[in-house]
Amino acid sequence: MKILVTGSKGQLGQSLVRLLEARNDVEFIALDRDKLDITNKQEVDSVVVAFSPDVVINAAAYTAVDKAESETKLAAAINRDGPSFLAEAAQKVGAALLHISTDYVFDGKNAEPYSEQDQTAPQSVYGQTKLEGELAVASACERHIILRTAWVFSEYGNNFVKTMLRLAETHDNLNIVGDQLGGPTYALDIAKALVLISDQITTGRDVEYGTYHFSGLPHVSWYEFARAIFSAAEKQTLIAKRPVLKSITTAEYPTAATRPANSKLNVQKIFNHFEIEASDWQRALNDLSAYQNNG
């Protein structure tokens, strides 16, 4: 199996590299923007045709949600144009494209977890450009999997878990938003899901292409997630004392981009088709020392 990974230095990209390096039956190249600018069509065509992968996993994205409100062209180039070029190149060489998307394609006003069939209605530039990327992928590459996820965290890069651990060193009190709900998702679990899907594609199993949701359970608020992080950190003696947490509303913590109040994703379809279970984010907090030791 030959796999091309984009966005190799991001949270998901590094998790994918970690998994693929342990596989003797996979030939892969993992490229970040310094080696492959996905917004450059000629560059994308050249790399994809030269390597001729069985599967392209696009883990590259513009994820600075608030900055996207002012950097609209850059966000669109990376989240819409790049996936479009990758999809066209994948179609050209007969590869499947696995593309990562987001809960931000929804408006967050549903009471129940969002299914793949629910109406999209992004409320931010980030969400809009990610939706445009989904549409571009679906129209340009027949063999595509769009994987929507949410609240991603890992030992790598910047994320909510690492921010909380850092703030615990300097703050006795923290205000955390309590009226946004979602499923924290461990990046290594996303990587495992993508590799499993890739295995099924390349071994000739009957794969239903299209859009899937994958995120963590149980669903919690950011406040509840923070509480779980500090509880785990305290048990692991990584912090001397947990900060006192106060649950606040979204209105009390204004941001440039509108966040969905409900980021809960229904993950039944991916289990039905691939037997992939929801990310166990609580288990992923069992060794928080790894989150302190990675940049």
Side-chain angles (χ1 to χ4, degrees):
M1 177 166 64
K2 295 174 70 176
I3 296 179
L4 168 63
V5 176
T6 65
S8 65
K9 291 181 181 175
Q11 291 191 79
L12 177 55
Q14 291 188 70
S15 299
L16 281 163
V17 169
R18 178 171 150 192
L19 278 185
L20 295 174
E21 283 180 340
R23 291 276 297 261
N24 295 321
D25 59 338
V26 176
E27 179 185 353
F28 77 96
I29 54 173
L31 306 172
D32 205 62
R33 59 188 169 196
D34 55 344
K35 295 283 173 51
L36 174 59
D37 177 4
I38 65 167
T39 69
N40 183 321
K41 188 179 190 312
Q42 286 183 316
E43 211 172 303
V44 169
D45 282 343
S46 176
V47 169
V48 173
V49 170
F51 185 58
S52 193
D54 300 302
V55 177
V56 176
I57 301 178
N58 181 32
Y62 181 105
T63 58
V65 175
D66 290 318
K67 277 189 177 180
E69 295 296 309
S70 56
E71 295 183 347
T72 55
K73 288 184 180 178
L74 181 59
I78 298 171
N79 291 342
R80 179 194 64 206
D81 301 342
S84 178
F85 300 151
L86 285 166
E88 291 169 6
Q91 180 74 11
K92 190 180 299 183
V93 300
L97 174 61
L98 277 51
H99 173 69
I100 310 305
S101 194
T102 174
D103 55 296
Y104 278 68
V105 300
F106 298 112
D107 63 14
K109 296 175 183 176
N110 269 21
E112 298 301 315
Y114 282 91
S115 74
E116 291 82 355
Q117 290 75 38
D118 280 327
Q119 183 66 43
T120 54
Q123 301 295 296
S124 64
V125 170
Y126 169 69
Q128 181 63 36
T129 58
K130 290 297 289 182
L131 177 59
E132 290 168 358
E134 287 188 11
L135 297 172
V137 165
S139 65
C141 183
E142 293 172 20
R143 299 170 68 220
H144 69 269
I145 298 284
I146 293 165
L147 195 71
R148 293 180 183 144
T149 190
W151 294 22
V152 180
F153 70 95
S154 70
E155 302 90 335
Y156 312 110
N158 297 310
N159 55 70
F160 187 76
V161 174
K162 296 182 80 171
T163 298
M164 290 300 105
L165 293 174
R166 187 175 66 250
L167 290 176
E169 297 174 1
T170 55
H171 289 68
D172 294 324
N173 299 276
L174 289 172
N175 295 335
I176 308 293
V177 172
D179 61 355
Q180 293 174 21
L181 302 174
T185 313
Y186 183 41
L188 187 62
D189 288 340
I190 306 173
K192 287 176 180 176
L194 292 166
V195 172
L196 190 150
I197 292 170
S198 299
D199 281 331
Q200 295 201 17
I201 288 171
T202 56
T203 53
R205 285 192 54 179
D206 189 22
V207 170
E208 183 176 320
Y209 292 98
T211 302
Y212 291 84
H213 288 172
F214 178 79
S215 63
L217 289 175
H219 294 132
V220 288
S221 67
W222 288 113
Y223 168 79
E224 291 167 327
F225 189 23
R227 194 169 60 186
I229 294 164
F230 292 130
S231 177
E234 197 171 43
K235 286 177 184 174
Q236 295 165 43
T237 65
L238 296 176
I239 57 175
K241 180 184 176 184
R242 71 171 80 179
V244 175
L245 299 182
K246 178 187 176 185
S247 177
I248 62 171
T249 65
T250 299
E252 292 176 279
Y253 189 75
T255 56
T258 300
R259 266 79 173 163
N262 174 19
S263 284
K264 296 184 288 186
L265 299 176
N266 184 320
V267 294
Q268 190 61 46
K269 181 182 174 184
I270 198 168
F271 178 77
N272 291 345
H273 288 287
F274 295 107
E275 296 185 356
I276 293 172
E277 296 186 350
S279 175
D280 186 346
W281 62 265
Q282 292 170 310
R283 185 179 60 195
L285 301 180
N286 284 344
D287 181 14
L288 288 172
S289 62
Y291 295 74
Q292 293 181 321
N293 299 330
N294 279 287

